[in-house]
Amino acid sequence: MFTTWSLATIVVAFGIMLSIPRVALAHAVLVSSQPAVNSTVSGTEVAVLLKYNSRVDMEHSTLTLLEPDGKVEKVAIESEPEPGVLSAKLTGLVKGAYVLRWQVLATDGHITRGKVPFQVE
C-alpha cells in the first residue's frame, strides 16, 4: 500500500536515475590507452596515447606518473593528435610498477580523472 508521499519519493528517485546516464555521457571518459591498463611494457621510453569519448581541453588537462619508488613526476602533454586524444612520452623508465594518473577537462566544463597502472620489465 503506497501513500502519496512514498509514491512521490519513488517517482523522484526514478527521475534521478534516468538523468544520471545523460550526465555521465557529457564527461570525458577514457576509452583506450597506450600503455593499456595493467599491461607490461619494455624499454626506458614509452609513448603514451590516451583516447577519450569526447573532446578535452589539452591546456587544462594534466598527467602525472607515480614511479616504483613512490616519486611523483609531472608528465608533459605533447600534443592532441586528434580531438579527444592526448599524447605524451615517458622517459627514463626502470623496471617496476607505474601508475599514470590523468585529469582532463572536457569541453562541457567537467573534470574527470583516472589511472592507468602498468609494469615495465
Side-chain angles (χ1 to χ4, degrees):
M1 175 177 348
F2 290 105
T3 64
T4 303
W5 174 250
S6 63
L7 185 59
T9 303
I10 291 170
V11 169
V12 169
F14 187 70
I16 290 171
M17 287 175 28
L18 289 177
S19 69
I20 289 172
R22 282 184 243 144
V23 171
L25 290 175
H27 298 5
V29 175
L30 185 68
V31 293
S32 67
S33 68
Q34 176 188 325
V37 172
N38 296 322
S39 65
T40 300
V41 298
S42 60
T44 60
E45 293 187 10
V46 172
V48 172
L49 205 58
L50 302 175
K51 184 174 183 179
Y52 298 89
N53 67 336
S54 66
R55 291 177 174 254
V56 295
D57 182 338
M58 185 175 126
E59 299 299 321
H60 294 95
S61 299
T62 59
L63 299 176
T64 55
L65 184 65
L66 177 61
E67 299 179 356
D69 62 1
K71 187 175 171 186
V72 178
E73 291 284 332
K74 183 174 180 178
V75 177
I77 297 171
E78 293 181 339
S79 67
E80 187 177 10
E82 62 185 83
V85 178
L86 299 179
S87 72
K89 184 177 281 185
L90 305 176
T91 60
L93 301 178
V94 297
K95 188 176 183 177
Y98 290 82
V99 177
L100 180 64
R101 295 177 180 157
W102 57 266
Q103 177 177 304
V104 295
L105 175 65
T107 53
D108 68 357
H110 291 103
I111 294 173
T112 54
R113 11 182 114 73
K115 300 175 185 174
V116 177
F118 65 96
Q119 295 273 335
V120 174
E121 62 178 10

